[in-house]
């Protein structure tokens, strides 16, 4: 129990730092280059149990909600890829609808329970 709390705290700090950095970077860099860089980083990360990965995903979701502009699915997927080797080995999906209005797309990893459906175009990186 204590170990889990310590790991959660460490992950929360790492998620916060990485999220702030990626919030800026994701707007300046295309997905191919950014995803490749984050995959390399994630593949070097500590292997997690299923429970540890679920805990990491919860931490990422909580921290993501704290951004002034609100949560962002692309940022969450990028952070998870950078911090977990299993996530780093998954495809990143990006679904979009024509029009480009706010929230006209969605990003998710293969294992995400929040998979996108019904998009006019889907890209995989």
């Amino acid at each position: 129990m204590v170990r889990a709390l310590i790991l959660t705290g460490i992950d929360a700090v790492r998620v916060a730092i990485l999220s702030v950095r990626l919030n800026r970077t994701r707007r300046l860099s295309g997905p191919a280059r950014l995803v490749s860089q984050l995959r390399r980083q994630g593949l070097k990360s500590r292997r997690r149990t299923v429970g540890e990965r679920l805990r990491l995903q919860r931490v990422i979701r909580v921290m993501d909600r704290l951004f002034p502009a609100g949560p962002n699915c692309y940022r969450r997927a990028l952070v998870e890829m950078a911090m977990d080797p299993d996530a780093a080995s998954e495809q990143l999906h990006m679904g979009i609808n024509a029009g480009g209005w706010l929230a006209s797309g969605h990003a998710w990893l293969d294992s995400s329970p929040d998979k996108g459906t019904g998009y006019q175009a889907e890209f995989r990186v």
Side-chain angles (χ1 to χ4, degrees), residues 60-82:
I60 291 169
R61 282 192 306 273
V62 167
M63 300 303 280
D64 189 58
R65 286 188 215 124
L66 299 176
F67 276 80
N72 183 274
C73 54
Y74 183 44
R75 182 177 51 231
R76 285 191 306 271
L78 293 174
V79 169
E80 186 177 355
M81 287 176 59

Side-chain angles (χ1 to χ4, degrees), residues 50-116:
V50 172
E52 288 171 337
R53 184 167 179 202
L54 291 172
R55 188 174 57 241
L56 173 64
Q57 291 167 339
R58 282 192 300 271
V59 169
I60 291 169
R61 282 192 306 273
V62 167
M63 300 303 280
D64 189 58
R65 286 188 215 124
L66 299 176
F67 276 80
N72 183 274
C73 54
Y74 183 44
R75 182 177 51 231
R76 285 191 306 271
L78 293 174
V79 169
E80 186 177 355
M81 287 176 59
M83 293 185 67
D84 181 79
D86 291 327
S89 66
E90 295 181 14
Q91 282 192 323
L92 172 68
H93 300 258
M94 302 174 84
I96 58 171
N97 285 321
W101 58 91
L102 194 60
S104 63
H106 183 50
W108 67 97
L109 297 173
D110 286 335
S111 65
S112 175
D114 186 22
K115 294 181 180 2

